[in-house]
Amino acid sequence: MKKARSTLTLSKRVFLFVAFALLSGFLTSVFAQPPNPPRPIQLRANPSFPLAFGAFTPGAGGGTVILSPAGTRTSTGTVILLNLGYSYSSAMFYIRANPGSVVSLMISSPVTLTRGGGGTLTLNLGGTQPASPFVTTLPWPQQTTLLVGGTLSVGPIGSNPAGQYNGTFSVTCIQE
């Protein structure tokens, strides 16, 4: 009787070993979420679409030129928008991050724009599409398009003579 019992125990052990060996061949690694996204998140400006307000005249009292992230241009005060072939566009950036990354934006503002020969304008950046913070949904390495608009404060014609005004601003992506 003792031999039968130990043979039974041995056969159970062999059966469990074989079952475990077979099952382990079917197991694969499972991850709850994708690996960490690249650090830092990659941000690239599209030189074809800089922040540009196009042609306008400030009039006697000045005002503002408002450019939405979607590219719609409006004005306030005595500013008159002109269609003289000068393009206007919101700034376009490309962001690469893994899907599910929460991205907040820090944009330097206000910015002073200067004209060679004199004159300054104040640019207040605001409004992004998508609005900050946002969650990236595209798989790596596809890119999320970020559009940035702003409001340009324009003084009277005597303070802001005609010409090209230039300046720079920075966009910082914060991954949460």
Side-chain angles (χ1 to χ4, degrees):
M1 277 283 215
K2 283 187 179 180
K3 278 191 170 184
R5 189 177 261 180
S6 63
T7 306
L8 186 59
T9 305
L10 181 61
S11 66
K12 280 185 182 179
R13 286 183 185 170
V14 170
F15 174 76
L16 288 175
F17 177 76
V18 171
F20 178 75
L22 287 174
L23 288 176
S24 65
F26 295 110
L27 295 178
T28 60
S29 299
V30 178
F31 297 101
Q33 59 188 20
N36 290 333
R39 297 210 185 258
I41 292 173
Q42 293 181 2
L43 175 71
R44 185 173 55 95
N46 182 342
S48 299
F49 291 96
L51 184 59
F53 288 87
F56 58 89
T57 182
T64 62
V65 179
I66 303 158
L67 189 60
S68 75
T72 303
R73 183 174 73 148
T74 58
S75 66
T76 65
T78 61
V79 174
I80 300 169
L81 303 176
L82 304 172
N83 292 317
L84 300 174
Y86 294 98
S87 64
Y88 57 90
S89 67
S90 53
M92 182 183 287
F93 299 90
Y94 299 121
I95 297 175
R96 285 191 173 144
N98 279 346
S101 297
V102 178
V103 179
S104 294
L105 302 171
M106 261 184 21
I107 301 175
S108 61
S109 191
V111 175
T112 301
L113 306 180
T114 57
R115 175 186 165 271
T120 61
L121 299 172
T122 302
L123 170 62
N124 286 296
L125 296 156
T128 63
Q129 188 178 2
S132 177
F134 61 92
V135 177
T136 58
T137 57
L138 299 174
W140 179 267
Q142 291 181 17
Q143 50 200 13
T144 300
T145 301
L146 172 69
L147 301 172
V148 179
T151 301
L152 191 61
S153 297
V154 183
I157 190 81
S159 301
N160 297 121
Q164 184 171 337
Y165 290 75
N166 296 300
T168 60
F169 63 92
S170 63
V171 177
T172 304
C173 295
I174 302 165
Q175 181 177 349
E176 299 177 23

